[in-house]
Amino acid sequence: MFEAHTLAIVFAALMGLAIILYAILDGFDLGVGILLPLGDKEKSDPMIASIGPFWDANETWLVFAIGLLLIAFPEAHSYIFKELYLPTAFLLISLVLRGVAFDFRAKAAISHTATWNRVFKVGSLLAAMSQGYMLGMYIMGFQSTVIAYSFSLLSAFGVAAAYSYIGACWLIMKTEADLQVRAVAWAKKSGIICFIGIVLVSVINPLINPGVYDKWFESSIMYLMLPLPLLCFVLFIYSFFQLKKLPTQDDSYCWVPFACAATIFLLCFIGLAFSFYPDIVPNKLTIWEAASAPESLSFILWGAIIVVPVIFAYTVFSYRVFWGKVQELRYH
């Protein structure tokens, strides 16, 4: 059906789509978990209710991305998770903690709700920082140096701040009254940290990866990509000024900060993808070297053609059904 060269690109694109959708969708519910105020039931309940219909379905995209990596690029899967074994274990533990805490806070005695809120918050923070650490190690090419570990820890805090930022923007769109005011304050603070983190990664990445520097500053298509950082900067500034106007009496434009945050996530991902393409393991494996046999990819592609639209359709449907301001959290 397709040549081996084309099949590798198709599956890399599908995996990229799954990763960015996961980062945006599960990013905001991880951010809500990180921001969860302990000991304040009036705010924690509507925050949990705002992500209740979506949080577990959002993780589908992570499962899909890892599944594609395993099936389409098995050599890269083996290498990456061998290098990231420990943070991957922490990520899995944190996701289990979140799932258990989310269900138990509803079923346990009221006196135990605060405990499960803490578990949910810790699980969300640990998941975000694990992902950030893994991203940092990936950018550093899995080097075992003090600089690589330091950068990865910085990346861990940066991703946690980024998730907090998009989570706060989600709450601005989904909540009202005092909680919305508080979410605006959270978005302003976390947005500044997120901006600083993106700037640091944008500066450090070309400095430590000569190939990335050549792509951004010496390649023939750099003029097409250089507007990306500028657009990111403009979106941060625009979002900040919008946050200063919120909340409004008619609650108009409450969706703007979230749209800006999601677009910033998308632009950052495009920038990273451009930096490393065609490598799937930086400086070690390209997508063609790591790809499965063309016959296998051709067979799997038919399944992807069916599965991807179905996942996308039920995701859109669930968000359409539960759109609008969050209602009072009730368990039947």
Side-chain angles (χ1 to χ4, degrees):
M1 182 178 177
F2 295 105
E3 295 181 357
H5 183 276
T6 305
L7 284 168
I9 295 174
V10 168
F11 277 94
L14 284 174
M15 193 169 65
L17 174 65
I19 291 172
I20 187 56
L21 285 175
Y22 171 78
I24 293 173
L25 299 180
D26 205 41
F28 77 71
D29 72 58
L30 285 170
V32 170
I34 293 170
L35 296 171
L36 197 69
L38 302 177
D40 190 345
K41 192 174 186 301
E42 290 186 2
K43 290 184 173 60
S44 62
D45 275 1
M47 288 174 68
I48 291 293
S50 75
I51 62 174
F54 315 112
W55 72 275
D56 51 350
N58 291 340
E59 293 175 359
T60 303
W61 294 105
L62 176 63
V63 175
F64 183 64
I66 295 175
L68 283 178
L69 181 63
L70 171 62
I71 297 171
F73 306 102
E75 191 172 350
H77 178 277
S78 175
Y79 187 94
I80 291 171
F81 287 103
K82 179 187 71 175
E83 296 292 335
L84 299 176
Y85 181 83
L86 192 58
T88 300
F90 277 108
L91 175 59
L92 293 175
I93 291 170
S94 65
L95 294 178
V96 171
L97 285 176
R98 292 182 80 237
V100 171
F102 193 93
D103 285 337
F104 275 45
R105 77 180 300 279
K107 298 178 173 64
I110 294 177
S111 59
H112 295 160
T113 300
T115 300
W116 291 114
N117 280 346
R118 292 189 189 93
V119 174
F120 190 78
K121 186 180 182 76
V122 170
S124 299
L125 181 60
L126 184 59
M129 295 188 69
S130 297
Q131 292 175 26
Y133 183 87
M134 293 165 76
L135 175 63
M137 289 300 291
Y138 183 87
I139 291 174
M140 294 298 295
F142 308 108
Q143 299 175 27
S144 297
T145 63
V146 174
I147 294 176
Y149 293 135
S150 300
F151 177 79
S152 299
L153 288 173
L154 178 65
S155 176
F157 285 104
V159 168
Y163 284 170
S164 299
Y165 173 54
I166 197 170
C169 292
W170 171 262
L171 290 173
I172 293 170
M173 184 171 62
K174 294 290 289 184
T175 61
E176 298 174 300
D178 292 343
L179 181 53
Q180 188 182 51
V181 173
R182 193 165 180 179
V184 170
W186 286 332
K188 289 177 181 177
K189 294 176 183 178
S190 57
I192 292 172
I193 300 173
C194 178
F195 174 75
I196 294 172
I198 290 174
V199 170
L200 289 175
V201 171
S202 300
V203 171
I204 294 173
N205 193 13
L207 293 178
I208 62 176
N209 292 301
V212 173
Y213 180 90
D214 292 342
K215 278 192 175 182
W216 279 98
F217 300 107
E218 295 184 4
S219 70
S220 58
I221 60 172
M222 67 175 185
Y223 297 108
L224 296 176
M225 301 304 296
L226 284 178
L228 284 183
L230 178 61
L231 185 54
C232 252
F233 177 76
V234 169
L235 284 171
F236 268 115
I237 297 299
Y238 178 71
S239 177
F240 186 78
F241 280 106
Q242 288 296 316
L243 288 171
K244 292 180 70 174
K245 299 177 183 178
L246 294 172
T248 58
Q249 190 170 6
D250 60 354
D251 208 27
S252 57
Y253 304 108
C254 64
W255 55 271
V256 172
F258 182 80
C260 289
T263 306
I264 289 168
F265 272 45
L266 177 61
L267 293 175
C268 290
F269 179 79
I270 292 173
L272 279 174
F274 171 73
S275 297
F276 292 108
Y277 178 83
D279 288 355
I280 192 168
V281 177
N283 305 316
K284 291 181 175 66
L285 282 174
T286 66
I287 58 174
W288 299 291
E289 292 171 338
S292 297
E295 296 79 7
S296 299
L297 293 180
S298 296
F299 178 77
I300 299 166
L301 183 60
W302 288 108
I305 290 172
I306 298 171
V307 170
V308 173
V310 170
I311 299 175
F312 190 79
Y314 81 64
T315 300
V316 172
F317 178 73
S318 65
Y319 279 85
R320 176 67 183 87
V321 169
F322 294 101
W323 197 247
K325 295 295 182 179
V326 66
Q327 302 296 315
E328 180 185 355
L329 182 62
R330 291 174 295 179
Y331 298 104
H332 300 285

